[in-house]
Structures are given as structure tokens and as C-alpha cells.
């Protein structure tokens, strides 16, 4: 596939924007390539500036769950835009979207809209600290909760992709209260609670990890975290920025019937426009200003255009068979990958839930970031290059999940599986 115009645009961008991109994973550096500059998207596909067409398995990192430029969502966004881009004050749409989200999350009484997942997680941590009057926080290796200072420790996503263990520019004093445990290791967390008795404000966790590839929680792990938090008076925060409305109607907490104290959401709730939220029990949420003394604010919070996109997206997604369809199409893809791998003697782990999935070229079962790092990066690079050059747009990092949408068709999956089969055959040689 020729990417001549993209290459030139990338050259220009690098003189204007650090690394030529506005979010590091997008450089494709981890797969020894450069980005395709995208011109447009429709349904399951995107087209680059050279006219190449790709079946998209990134879907704006999971946000565009209905497919690109869904006609009804576009109409809602245009209608909202014609009324004004934002007013910096209350609009009715915010309550409509809040009501729709709250009805899907029984553990939430109230929610506050912000503009990004980073803000949602940063605010959730501040709220947990303000509420418990404790400072320490437990996070898991390979989990990524945005780029606020205290959470940039042993993080997944771009940091893992670029092998940056922890960001420079974060003073040691900002992270000395961040304790780190391996995902799926409950005993390790128990030990932390013993060592730091009465000091831990919260655990923050991606219930299904999407920022270290896709990693499923072992049975009992999240339930164990719930119990530990309850026993020790700490708050359990589920970061469902990726998993919210993606695994099922609700989130991982609905699927597993676990009630976290706080939840962060993003991506799907804006249908591709920038909006995120944090929510939880009224007793905790009422500590946020103006009701309480934990401060948070934002000019673009609850932006009416993003809200309109979110309302329409959830309205369409709420139809009866949406998640059955998402799961069925994801399973079809995963089965196809496993079959192509077995036919070509390639060892691959492929797993997914709802419309989210991931693969690892690993000998052993991957259940933590540490396991993911031991999987075969060279195999992944060869796989990525093979599919990308054949028109399948895959996350350019071992440490990112993949996403499908309601616009992906059986024909898309058949075509993708055929491509993967050809790539595996080539990799075997
Ligand atoms: N943190 C995002 C998903 N893990 C990646 C965002 C991006 O690079 O665009």
C-alpha cells in the first residue's frame, strides 16, 4: 500500500508538533512504521489521504461504537452546533445524558461531566482522598488512567508502548503515595493494606485491562478488591473509560455484579466527541464543589455538542440486540484469528468481551502486564505490518486493545480473517 501523501504530511507535522502527533502511540514508532493520515471514515472503514481504505479496529480508541459518521449522530451534532457551540453554563441535555447513564449503573447516584478520561480519573482520586482524608492510592501495573501526575506510574498505553517506566517531570513527592501492584494478584494487594494500615484512600483499576493489550480479570480478583476496600475503609474506583457501554449496557461492574464506590467513564458516552464523567454514591459525590470542598471545574465540561452526540449514541446503542451483535461479531473475529493461527502453527492468545478484544503472541496465558511484556514483540510487529499493508487498521502497539462497532459486518470479518490468514502464512515462512 502506497502512503506517499501520508509520509509527506508526517514530515510536515514533525516540524510543527512534537513527534508529529498529539498523542504518542499515534507515531506508529513501536511498530517501526509511520502513521497513515486519515481523511474520513464511514461505518467500519476509514480512508487515508492516499486513498487507501482500511477496515478499522481502533474506532477512535473505542469511542465510536456505532461506526464512523453515523447519520443520526451526525444529524444530532449538527442540530446542536447550529444552536451554539457552548455557553459555559447549564443546559438540559446534560441532565438527559446523566439520567441515561445513571440508569445503566446502579452503583451511581450522581455523576459529573468532564472533558477527558484523564480529568475523570484525576478528579476521582482527588475526591477519594478528600472523602477518606487519606493520601495513599493503589494502582496496577499496565493499567493506564490518563496522564495526571500521580497516576503516571508503571502505566500502560503509550508509556508501555514507548518503554517509559514513569514520566519525567513528575516530582517524586507527587507519586510517593502511589502504590503499585500486579494486576490479578490479590495477595499482593492484601499485603499493601497490611503495610499501610489506615492510609489507603482508594484502589483504582481497569476492571478489564485495555491499556496493556486486553487482559481479563481472574475470577475473584475484582470481588476481592471490593472486599478489601470495604474492610479497610478505602474506596474502590473502577476506571470504565474503555469498558463503559462497550462490554455490555453498563460496564464491567454490571457484567460482574460488583459495586464500586466511584466509576470513571469516557469514550462511548460521547460517541466520539470529547466528554467523560465520574460518578458514584451520592454520599461521596456530594463532597464535590459546589456541595463540598473537593474542587473540580472546566469551561468545556458538559459541552452541548458532545452531550448531543452522547445522547444519540446511547439511544441507538440501547436498542435490544446491540450487545448481542457486538459480542457475536467480536467472537467471529477471535475464532477466525485462532483458526488461522492453528492452521499456520502460530501460537496466539485471542480474547475479548462485548466489542473489545486483544491478541498476544505468547507461550503462556497472559493475565498481567508482566506476562504481556514477555509476549513476542517481533511477532506482533510482523503481524501489524502485514495486516496494515493489506488494509486492516490495527492498534500500532502491543499494549492497546482493539475495538469493533455495530457497523462491522460479517463481510468485514471474513475479509479481515482472510488477511490474517495470509499474514500468518507469511510469518511462518
Ligand atoms: N490512551 C489511548 C488509548 N489507550 C490512546 C490515545 C491515542 O493515542 O490517541
Amino acid at each position: 500500500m502506497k502512503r506517499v501523501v501520508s509520509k509527506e504530511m508526517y514530515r510536515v507535522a514533525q516540524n510543527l508538533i512534537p513527534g508529529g502527533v498529539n498523542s504518542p502511540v499515534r507515531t506508529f514508532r513501536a511498530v517501526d512504521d509511520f502513521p497513515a493520515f486519515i481523511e474520513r471514515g464511514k461505518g467500519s472503514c476509514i480512508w487515508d489521504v492516499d486513498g487507501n481504505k482500511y477496515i478499522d479496529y481502533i474506532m477512535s480508541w473505542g469511542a465510536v461504537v456505532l461506526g464512523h459518521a453515523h447519520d443520526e449522530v451526525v444529524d444530532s451534532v449538527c442540530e446542536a452546533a447550529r444552536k451554539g457551540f457552548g455557553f459555559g453554563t447549564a443546559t438540559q441535555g446534560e441532565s438527559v445524558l446523566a439520567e441515561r447513564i445513571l440508569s445503566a449503573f446502579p452503583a451511581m447516584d450522581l455523576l459529573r461531566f468532564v472533558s477527558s478520561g484523564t480529568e475523570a480519573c484525576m478528579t476521582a482520586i482527588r475526591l477519594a482522598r478528600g472523602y477518606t482524608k487519606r493520601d495513599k492510592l493503589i494502582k496496577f501495573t499496565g493499567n493506564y488512567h490518563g496522564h495526571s501526575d500521580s497516576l503516571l506510574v508503571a502505566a500502560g498505553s503509550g508509556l508501555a508502548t514507548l518503554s517509559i517506566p514513569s514520566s519525567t517531570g513528575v516530582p517524586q513527592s507527587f507519586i510517593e503515595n502511589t502504590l503499585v501492584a500486579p494486576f490479578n494478584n490479590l495477595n499482593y494487594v492484601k499485603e499493601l493494606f497490611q503495610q499501610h494500615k489506615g492510609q489507603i484512600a482508594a484502589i483504582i483499576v481497569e476492571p478489564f485491562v485495555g491499556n496493556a493489550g486486553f487482559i481479563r480479570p481472574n475470577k475473584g480478583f475484582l470481588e476481592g478488591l471490593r472486599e478489601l476496600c470495604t474492610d479497610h475503609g478505602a474506596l474502590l474506583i473502577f476506571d470504565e473509560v474503555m469498558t463503559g457501554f462497550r462490554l455490555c449496557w453498563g460496564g464491567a461492574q454490571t457484567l460482574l455484579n460488583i459495586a464500586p464506590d466511584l466509576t470513571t467513564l469516557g469514550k462511548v458516552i460521547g460517541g466520539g466527541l470529547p466528554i467523560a464523567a465520574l460518578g458514584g454514591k451520592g454520599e461521596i459525590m456530594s463532597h464535590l464543589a459546589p456541595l463540598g470542598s473537593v474542587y473540580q471545574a472546566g469551561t468545556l465540561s458538559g459541552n452541548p455538542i458532545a452531550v448531543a452526540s452522547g445522547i444519540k449514541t446511547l439511544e441507538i446503542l440501547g436498542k435490544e440486540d446491540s450487545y448481542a451483535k457486538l459480542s457475536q461479531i467480536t467472537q467471529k473475529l477471535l475464532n477466525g484469528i485462532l483458526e488461522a493461527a492453528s492452521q499456520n502453527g502460530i501460537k496466539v492468545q485471542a480474547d475479548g468481551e462485548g466489542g473489545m478484544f486483544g491478541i498476544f503472541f505468547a507461550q503462556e496465558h497472559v493475565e498481567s502486564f508482566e506476562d504481556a511484556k514477555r509476549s513476542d514483540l517481533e511477532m506482533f510487529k510482523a503481524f501489524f505490518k502485514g495486516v496494515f499493508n493489506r488494509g486492516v487498521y490495527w492498534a500500532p502497539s502491543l499494549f492497546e486493545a482493539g475495538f469493533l462497532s455495530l457497523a462491522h459486518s460479517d463481510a468485514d470479518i471474513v475479509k479481515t480473517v482472510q488477511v490474517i490468514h495470509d499474514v500468518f502464512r507469511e510469518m511462518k515462512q
Side-chain angles (χ1 to χ4, degrees):
M1 240 178 209
K2 284 212 173 77
R3 282 182 286 133
V4 181
V5 185
S6 276
K7 196 168 200 168
E8 175 55 14
M9 286 186 175
Y10 186 43
R11 189 192 64 74
V12 171
Q14 286 176 90
N15 292 323
L16 302 167
I17 300 168
V21 289
N22 288 304
S23 194
V25 181
R26 300 178 194 180
T27 56
F28 288 50
R29 196 178 281 184
V31 285
D32 305 331
D33 215 322
F34 66 91
F37 276 54
I38 304 303
E39 199 165 67
R40 69 189 171 93
K42 187 71 192 164
S44 60
C45 293
I46 52 176
W47 285 260
D48 71 15
V49 287
D50 287 280
N52 299 311
K53 179 182 178 183
Y54 305 84
I55 303 174
D56 188 4
Y57 291 97
I58 298 182
M59 301 311 290
S60 193
W61 301 103
V64 188
V65 72
L66 302 179
H68 293 286
H70 188 287
D71 288 339
E72 289 178 60
V73 180
V74 172
D75 286 347
S76 293
V77 164
C78 291
E79 198 184 314
R82 271 191 287 270
K83 291 181 183 161
F85 284 8
F87 315 104
T89 191
T91 57
Q92 191 195 11
E94 293 159 66
S95 296
V96 175
L97 184 57
E99 200 279 328
R100 196 153 285 171
I101 295 171
L102 290 172
S103 68
F105 284 87
M108 280 193 214
D109 303 324
L110 292 173
L111 69 77
R112 167 68 54 86
F113 288 117
V114 292
S115 297
S116 70
T118 292
E119 271 184 81
C121 294
M122 177 181 78
T123 308
I125 298 298
R126 186 181 303 139
L127 177 57
R129 285 175 164 154
Y131 177 77
T132 60
K133 302 194 171 38
R134 300 173 180 179
D135 289 340
K136 292 199 190 299
L137 161 78
I138 298 177
K139 79 171 284 290
F140 295 92
T141 52
N143 280 207
Y144 176 75
H145 309 287
H147 59 92
S148 69
D149 285 340
S150 69
L151 292 166
L152 278 183
V153 188
S157 189
L159 285 99
T161 303
L162 302 175
S163 303
I164 302 170
S166 297
S167 174
T168 53
V170 177
Q172 187 55 32
S173 59
F174 284 37
I175 53 172
E176 66 193 14
N177 286 312
T178 307
L179 310 169
V180 181
F183 188 74
N184 271 330
N185 190 334
L186 194 57
N187 282 335
Y188 198 104
V189 182
K190 276 185 192 155
E191 197 54 42
L192 287 178
F193 272 104
Q194 287 312 321
Q195 283 168 17
H196 303 276
K197 270 207 164 91
Q199 298 173 64
I200 295 173
I203 296 179
I204 186 164
V205 63
E206 284 183 74
F208 284 68
V209 184
N211 285 292
F214 176 88
I215 303 176
R216 179 181 291 280
N218 287 342
K219 216 165 186 307
F221 174 63
L222 296 171
E223 292 81 352
L225 296 184
R226 175 64 279 175
E227 211 172 298
L228 280 171
C229 283
T230 304
D231 290 352
H232 291 270
L235 300 190
L236 180 62
I237 306 170
F238 271 14
D239 174 348
E240 301 230 42
V241 169
M242 264 190 199
T243 51
F245 292 107
R246 182 144 276 288
L247 306 187
C248 62
W249 183 251
Q253 55 194 272
T254 331
L255 200 67
L256 303 173
N257 194 24
I258 299 171
D261 300 296
L262 290 173
T263 299
T264 57
L265 295 168
K267 298 192 191 276
V268 170
I269 65 161
L273 289 192
I275 191 163
L278 72 145
K281 294 174 184 159
E283 185 212 343
I284 303 169
M285 291 297 289
S286 57
H287 282 67
L288 273 182
L291 299 180
S293 55
V294 177
Y295 197 72
Q296 173 280 329
T299 299
L300 297 177
S301 292
N303 173 268
I305 302 175
V307 163
S309 172
I311 292 171
K312 186 49 86 178
T313 298
L314 292 188
E315 183 189 313
I316 297 168
L317 196 56
K319 291 185 182 148
E320 214 172 292
D321 61 346
S322 292
Y323 289 95
K325 181 170 183 237
L326 262 183
S327 298
Q328 182 255 323
I329 208 98
T330 303
Q331 279 315 314
K332 191 175 166 102
L333 175 66
L334 296 174
N335 291 341
I337 293 171
L338 290 171
E339 201 177 315
S342 116
Q343 279 175 21
N344 289 291
I346 302 254
K347 185 126 176 90
V348 75
Q349 178 180 315
D351 193 11
E353 191 70 50
M356 180 175 171
F357 71 96
I359 64 169
F360 290 110
F361 295 97
Q363 296 303 320
E364 306 292 333
H365 174 68
V366 175
E367 59 175 40
S368 68
F369 181 46
E370 291 67 26
D371 295 342
K373 282 197 287 191
R374 278 193 293 274
S375 72
D376 196 323
L377 177 59
E378 292 311 313
M379 294 267 284
F380 176 77
K381 281 188 199 175
F383 170 79
F384 174 84
K385 264 186 187 301
V387 298
F388 186 39
N389 288 322
R390 288 170 171 86
V392 171
Y393 196 72
W394 206 267
S397 164
L398 187 61
F399 302 109
E400 298 287 357
F403 302 96
L404 287 104
S405 74
L406 284 174
H408 283 77
S409 64
D410 279 345
D412 287 328
I413 304 298
V414 169
K415 195 165 168 198
T416 303
V417 169
Q418 184 55 51
V419 161
I420 291 174
H421 188 84
D422 294 346
V423 170
F424 281 166
R425 197 171 45 220
E426 201 172 87
M427 284 165 69
K428 193 178 64 171
Q429 284 156 11

